[in-house]
Amino acid sequence: MLFLKNYAWPWALARAGILGMNRRNHSYISRYNPRRLYPLVDDKLKTKRIAMAAGVAVPELIGIIREQHQVSRFSEMVKDRPGFCIKPARGSGGRGIAVIVRHQEGFYYKPSGRPETIQDLERHISNILAGLFSLGGKPDTAIVENLIHFDDVFAGYSFEGVPDTRVIIFRGFPVMAMMRLSTAASGGKANLHQGAVGVGLCLRTGRALRAVQFNRPVRRHPDTGLDLHALRVPGWDTLLRLAASCYEMSGLGYIGTDLVLDKQHGPLLLELNARPGLSIQIANGRGLLPSLSAVEEFGDTALNVARRIEFAQKRFGVFEP
Amino acid sequence: MVSRKSFYLLVALLACTGIGMTVYNNVVMGVPLTPGEKRQIWSIEAKMEFTATGEPVIASMAVAGTQKGFTLLSRTAASPGYGLAFIEKDGAERAEWSIRAATGRQRLYYQIDMLVDPSARPAEPPVPPPVVKDFEREPYATAMAQILGRAQERSADPYTLTREIIREIDNQAQNAELLKGYMPRAGLVARLLNNADVPARTVYALMLEDGRRRQQLIEYLQVFKDGGYELFNPQTGEQGQPRNMLLWEYGSAPLLDIAGGRNSRVTFSMIVQKQPVSVALAKKNELSERVTISIHGLPLEEQALFKGLLLIPIGVVILVFLRLIIGIKTSGTFMPVLIAMAFIQTQLLTGLVGFVLIVGSGLVIRAYLSRLNLLLVARISAVIIMVIMMIGIFSALAFKLGLTDGMKITFFPMIILAWTIERMSILWEEEGPREVMKQGGGSLLAAVIAYLAMDSELIRHLTFNFLGLQLVLMAAVLLLGNYTGYKLSELKRFKPLADDMNAGRNGL
Ligand SMILES: Nc1ncnc2c1ncn2[C@@H]1O[C@H](COP(=O)(O)OP(=O)(O)O)[C@@H](O)[C@H]1O
Ligand SMILES: [Mg+2]
């Protein structure tokens, strides 16, 4: 019976308002996300396009590679770009993302400082084109975009990676937010299950609520030792507005928006997720269900972005402004 | 979206239809629910002997067909020189032998296999014979009238009348003695019943006893009432058909009818075999002319194919359960089912060892391939070729070592294996060996569980013989597709969160 200790009772989770995978898929994703809109968010290139059309800022596109024979043009493409990021248009969960911070004399350096040759990168692009990182192994497109230089306020909060902010937008209302900080354990990636730190954020102020790594609360960043509870995202309202406007832009009722704060360009939209993960609840120390029900019950989707944010901050915010 | 109500209606409909078909197959068609049961098959040989007079011979004999309690599986006749035809006469079948000329003692053999089958029914219900009232000569007429008169006073319907007549014959010893020389007992009872306007006739039956030879048919009495009938033992008046009694002649016709021969007689010998239900059912359905929803009607080869196919839904349901309720992570949605199918061919241990061996060495070689800088399609192809070579080497090796089971690893789905290796190796590079173990282990666990279910004799028997169960499985999958509760894995994943929230440690 000892192993039972590791398991919670289902009703304990239900009482805590925790959203499970089956419920998420059944009652939220398939109910509020029309299938025909999926390609818009599953293909990062299309997301970029609709975002630009809607006036939402995105990282600058350097180029795209669609065919194998175009791979040789790659070094030409990034010649004048010190830093860039290669990603599969239809990838997910951080798979197939290669970040290069600078290159010099034919060597391309990752955030960890590891050098890669042009052959390494070309092979990586070939793999992307062949569909290694896309769902079901379908042939894919490689996107090369400008490196994001994250805002200095996050210096020391993230180890070898760009911290991104995830906001869950339900029917246009922000319902929960967190920041993901990469660590040495997560290999510079911002995926929580790989050991990144998740910091729950107050919707009203953008201040840290609590931080977790491997599902356990942590107080300090494991690599840099900075106090995670002191974290506060600057320009929080602008960022929220950007996230909430993705509802009109995509037409999807339940999405996760990935945003980054760029030094020069301010908040940028990295990608949209039609199947956002559930760990955000652990980072926030709260279940999603109460907020989702509140929106379903009282949220008026005809409101404009500003009013929706007002509604969400009033109901779901934690700290006083 | 379909409304909840009509969804549950659909599920209920599927489940009910499925269960209904299953019950029908079980109760009406007599297919047992467990595979262990054996069925008796009686092999009965009738030997007909007569002396031919040198003229053309036509010998006709009543033969038993499918009837209450017995299904005719096969019949053969050995009768050198004779032509043989089966003809239908008054609703009952007869075998008719013919030859232009024969002399001396003739022996004709006729053999049938009868399946003991509680659900068996004749193709057409038996027709009551016409009521024949002949006016008897005296003193028989008076004797018969006395018996019938007494019996009628104490009876209410044809069946009770039959019993009373038989009892009365025993009571009125004098009359009985008189009539005994006039008519055989069963015939006498039938005639008396006819006189009381009850259709009845003598039928000839065989008592089945294993290993008996030179048996004779016995007379039995068949009494009709309202479209149904009952059998009576004309000696004792006992009602009903004994379990080991087979009706041989039941068409108001003589057992034997020979033109061109005399001194005829028929004797019977019989043995019983016990066969597994599946064999018996297969034989039964080979013959069945009824249109039934059963795969048994297909040629044997297709049946074998279907047997495998019908197991897949079981594996799929188990996988859906493991993924939605338990939350096991597998690499490739239905890959474990395919692996489980391979395990069925290879047996579990050989399969497991083979799988781990192939995927393990595949990962090692794949690590080398990744340094060759190949395009993905070419690399997968290389992995496929490599997998095939490895399978070849392993099976040759196993054969050399005398492990004939080892050769069966050729049953593994190679393309799937190649993709598994490719995925695992990427997973290794990207997420480390832990995740490989987790997903690989999850897939294997799911495959083993699916295998255990699919390999069970009971489940094979059920899926193969009860097609209705597929509908039940369908209903189960639909229901599972609507499960919005937590997965078992989530109970663990969110346990710390729930604890923190309870303890007020959620950072506020
Ligand atoms: N242009 C970029 N510059 C620097 N880092 C990036 C860039 N694009 C993505 N990343 C890093 O990769 C991570 C995942 O990127 P994202 O576009 O969200 O892809 P995915 O769908 O795989 O999650 C981000 O959290 C960020 O850390
Ligand atoms: Mg992302």
Side-chain angles (χ1 to χ4, degrees):
Chain A
M1 287 296 112
L2 206 67
F3 77 101
L4 271 185
K5 273 205 182 126
N6 296 326
Y7 290 83
W9 293 107
W11 49 88
L13 297 194
R15 205 163 352 121
I18 292 167
L19 178 66
M21 183 81 82
N22 293 328
R23 180 89 182 261
R24 181 200 73 175
N25 292 342
H26 185 270
S27 307
Y28 296 99
I29 294 187
S30 67
R31 185 170 300 168
Y32 292 106
N33 291 350
R35 254 267 64 119
R36 70 195 152 79
L37 296 177
Y38 275 39
L40 291 184
V41 294
D42 282 349
D43 186 334
K44 293 193 169 69
L45 215 52
K46 288 195 178 132
T47 315
K48 245 187 196 355
R49 214 166 284 149
I50 57 168
M52 275 148 76
V56 171
V58 291
E60 185 195 346
L61 185 67
I62 296 176
I64 49 182
I65 299 170
R66 290 185 190 280
E67 306 283 345
Q68 182 58 35
H69 66 83
Q70 299 169 336
V71 173
S72 52
R73 297 216 311 257
F74 169 70
S75 61
E76 184 66 24
M77 189 186 283
V78 295
K79 197 173 53 172
D80 300 323
R81 306 288 183 149
F84 55 86
C85 170
I86 308 170
K87 53 171 98 170
R90 276 191 280 259
S92 65
R95 273 190 296 270
I97 293 195
V99 178
I100 300 298
V101 288
R102 64 192 174 89
H103 55 102
Q104 211 172 16
E105 291 157 9
F107 284 106
Y108 295 79
Y109 294 91
K110 294 199 149 185
S112 59
R114 206 175 99 181
E116 302 257 331
T117 64
I118 187 73
Q119 283 85 14
D120 289 333
L121 293 184
E122 284 180 356
R123 177 159 51 99
H124 184 75
I125 295 172
S126 294
N127 281 342
I128 291 178
L129 297 185
L132 189 52
F133 305 105
S134 63
L135 261 169
K138 270 188 268 167
D140 204 353
T141 305
I143 302 177
V144 185
E145 63 181 26
N146 218 355
L147 180 70
I148 292 161
H149 297 277
F150 59 86
D151 199 295
D152 287 331
V153 290
F154 301 128
Y157 278 118
S158 190
F159 180 81
E160 291 178 359
V162 179
D164 70 358
T165 307
R166 157 71 56 94
V167 186
I168 303 278
I169 306 293
F170 180 48
R171 308 180 79 190
F173 296 87
V175 284
M176 209 173 256
M178 74 165 164
M179 175 157 256
R180 291 181 297 190
L181 311 171
S182 48
T183 61
S186 75
K189 288 189 187 171
N191 293 78
L192 293 191
H193 71 271
Q194 287 169 332
V197 169
V199 184
L201 298 176
C202 162
L203 273 185
R204 202 175 288 150
T205 55
R207 274 175 58 189
L209 291 171
R210 76 170 200 160
V212 291
Q213 187 187 27
F214 293 119
N215 287 354
R216 301 277 168 192
V218 286
R219 185 66 200 256
R220 300 184 172 279
H221 191 282
D223 305 311
T224 62
L226 277 190
D227 181 3
L228 293 164
H229 286 196
L231 189 88
R232 181 170 190 162
V233 181
W236 179 243
D237 285 353
T238 329
L239 192 140
L240 264 195
R241 211 165 301 136
L242 184 77
S245 65
C246 290
Y247 171 60
E248 275 88 3
M249 182 183 105
S250 66
L252 292 166
Y254 188 82
I255 40 173
T257 58
D258 284 0
L259 306 157
V260 284
L261 269 189
D262 190 88
K263 220 186 281 188
Q264 301 145 32
H265 304 98
L268 302 179
L269 175 69
L270 255 192
E271 65 152 347
L272 295 178
N273 252 300
R275 310 167 195 80
L278 301 169
S279 306
I280 194 168
Q281 304 176 100
I282 301 174
N284 274 271
R286 290 197 297 169
L288 266 167
L289 281 176
S291 312
L292 295 176
S293 312
V295 170
E296 264 181 329
E297 220 166 303
F298 307 111
D300 178 1
T301 46
L303 294 179
N304 64 20
V305 175
R307 303 294 295 278
R308 291 201 306 257
I309 291 175
E310 198 180 307
F311 173 93
Q313 290 190 323
K314 204 165 113 209
R315 278 178 182 268
F316 314 136
V318 177
F319 296 119
E320 291 307 315
Chain B
M1 215 188 274
V2 187
S3 80
R4 288 299 72 190
K5 217 160 130 197
S6 58
F7 170 80
Y8 286 112
L9 208 70
L10 175 70
V11 170
L13 204 74
L14 280 173
C16 288
T17 317
I19 293 172
M21 282 168 70
T22 307
V23 171
Y24 175 83
N25 266 10
N26 177 239
V27 176
V28 184
M29 304 296 291
V31 186
L33 287 171
T34 50
E37 271 177 51
K38 297 220 168 167
R39 283 290 172 82
Q40 289 184 323
I41 296 180
W42 287 95
S43 294
I44 302 160
E45 188 185 72
K47 184 166 88 172
M48 176 172 37
E49 290 172 288
F50 59 90
T51 312
T53 54
E55 290 156 39
V57 175
I58 298 179
S60 122
M61 178 175 72
V63 295
T66 295
Q67 54 187 275
K68 216 168 118 193
F70 297 92
T71 298
L72 177 67
L73 295 181
S74 67
R75 54 188 184 190
T76 46
S79 37
Y82 280 81
L84 172 66
F86 289 97
I87 56 168
E88 175 119 353
K89 210 172 156 192
D90 298 334
E93 221 176 6
R94 299 182 73 81
E96 202 170 84
W97 286 266
S98 53
I99 195 165
R100 169 87 23 215
T103 43
R105 200 73 183 149
Q106 305 288 309
R107 283 187 193 87
L108 301 178
Y109 293 92
Y110 174 74
Q111 199 205 317
I112 58 172
D113 282 342
M114 276 287 185
L115 169 71
V116 176
D117 180 0
S119 70
R121 295 278 174 281
E124 296 148 32
V127 222
V131 173
V132 194
K133 287 188 199 166
D134 281 344
F135 292 101
E136 308 294 340
R137 289 180 282 128
E138 289 297 350
Y140 307 119
T142 315
M144 283 163 75
Q146 277 175 4
I147 293 175
L148 184 59
R150 292 283 295 157
Q152 266 177 325
E153 283 168 22
R154 291 202 304 263
S155 66
D157 71 335
Y159 298 155
T160 46
L161 179 61
T162 310
R163 271 204 309 273
E164 289 309 322
I165 289 175
I166 292 169
R167 184 175 303 159
E168 211 44 49
I169 292 175
D170 288 340
N171 284 348
Q172 304 189 13
Q174 224 174 353
N175 280 337
E177 199 57 36
L178 175 71
L179 288 166
K180 202 163 131 190
Y182 179 60
M183 234 182 225
R185 187 165 167 124
L188 175 66
V189 182
R191 168 61 52 83
L192 287 171
L193 285 165
N194 275 196
N195 285 348
D197 285 316
V198 173
R201 68 180 164 204
T202 311
V203 293
Y204 295 89
L206 188 62
M207 299 309 289
L208 299 171
E209 234 179 300
D210 192 20
R212 282 310 184 93
R213 302 175 56 219
R214 297 215 203 98
Q215 295 296 297
Q216 304 274 344
L217 296 182
I218 58 166
E219 286 187 337
Y220 236 72
L221 193 64
Q222 189 178 34
V223 182
F224 290 84
K225 175 191 160 188
D226 309 333
Y229 71 85
E230 266 301 344
L231 291 171
F232 289 87
N233 184 332
Q235 309 301 331
T236 63
E238 189 190 330
Q239 185 176 343
Q241 181 172 3
R243 264 172 53 88
N244 62 337
M245 190 179 85
L246 173 76
L247 293 184
W248 190 270
E249 192 288 312
Y250 41 88
S252 311
L255 173 64
L256 272 184
D257 186 4
I258 297 182
R262 47 194 171 72
N263 279 340
S264 62
R265 67 171 192 155
V266 192
T267 55
F268 294 84
S269 34
M270 62 211 100
I271 52 164
V272 68
Q273 300 159 278
K274 288 219 162 117
Q275 297 237 16
V277 162
S278 53
V279 177
L281 285 179
K283 279 193 184 164
K284 174 178 172 178
N285 284 287
E286 249 167 55
L287 285 174
S288 169
E289 283 145 33
R290 252 186 294 185
V291 190
T292 53
I293 314 175
S294 155
I295 313 151
H296 295 288
L298 291 172
L300 271 181
E301 203 176 317
E302 274 70 29
Q303 284 190 36
L305 184 76
F306 256 106
K307 213 167 192 163
L309 286 184
L310 288 174
L311 285 173
I312 295 182
I314 295 280
V316 171
V317 170
I318 288 179
L319 206 70
V320 170
F321 178 83
L322 289 179
R323 287 179 68 104
L324 292 186
I325 311 279
I326 307 294
I328 285 186
K329 273 194 186 173
T330 63
S331 85
T333 317
F334 286 111
M335 180 271 245
V337 180
L338 295 171
I339 300 293
M341 297 282 289
F343 283 172
I344 290 178
Q345 309 287 340
T346 60
Q347 296 312 313
L348 189 56
L349 194 68
T350 328
L352 272 179
V353 172
F355 182 84
V356 172
L357 226 58
I358 292 172
V359 173
S361 37
L363 280 176
V364 173
I365 303 179
R366 163 65 179 71
Y368 172 71
L369 281 180
S370 84
R371 282 198 265 144
L372 295 183
N373 200 11
L374 300 173
L375 294 178
L376 178 71
V377 187
R379 195 167 60 224
I380 300 258
S381 309
V383 174
I384 292 175
I385 296 173
M386 174 186 91
V387 166
I388 290 174
M389 286 195 313
M390 273 189 315
I391 288 180
I393 292 170
F394 284 140
S395 43
L397 215 71
F399 186 67
K400 260 265 144 60
L401 295 174
L403 307 165
T404 40
D405 268 0
M407 296 188 338
K408 299 223 182 99
I409 53 178
T410 42
F411 284 108
F412 275 122
M414 326 238 171
I415 311 280
I416 304 284
L417 276 187
W419 268 105
T420 306
I421 291 172
E422 182 65 26
R423 290 243 168 76
M424 296 264 179
S425 105
I426 295 293
L427 204 62
W428 193 301
E429 279 172 22
E430 299 235 320
E431 324 250 309
R434 250 182 68 116
E435 195 63 18
V436 172
M437 288 295 144
K438 209 159 129 194
Q439 289 202 12
S443 304
L444 265 191
L445 184 69
V448 170
I449 295 175
Y451 160 81
L452 289 178
M454 288 158 74
D455 199 48
S456 127
E457 196 57 44
L458 177 69
I459 287 185
R460 283 166 161 265
H461 169 82
L462 287 176
T463 51
F464 188 53
N465 290 301
F466 297 94
L467 278 190
L469 288 181
Q470 303 287 332
L471 295 182
V472 179
L473 289 180
M474 180 80 178
V477 167
L478 291 187
L479 274 187
L480 281 175
N482 250 285
Y483 173 73
T484 56
Y486 299 105
K487 301 179 186 194
L488 189 64
S489 61
E490 285 173 342
L491 297 185
K492 184 173 176 183
R493 177 184 178 192
F494 292 122
K495 163 86 170 166
L497 173 57
D499 286 352
D500 288 352
M501 287 173 71
N502 276 342
R505 263 183 283 132
N506 55 351
L508 303 182

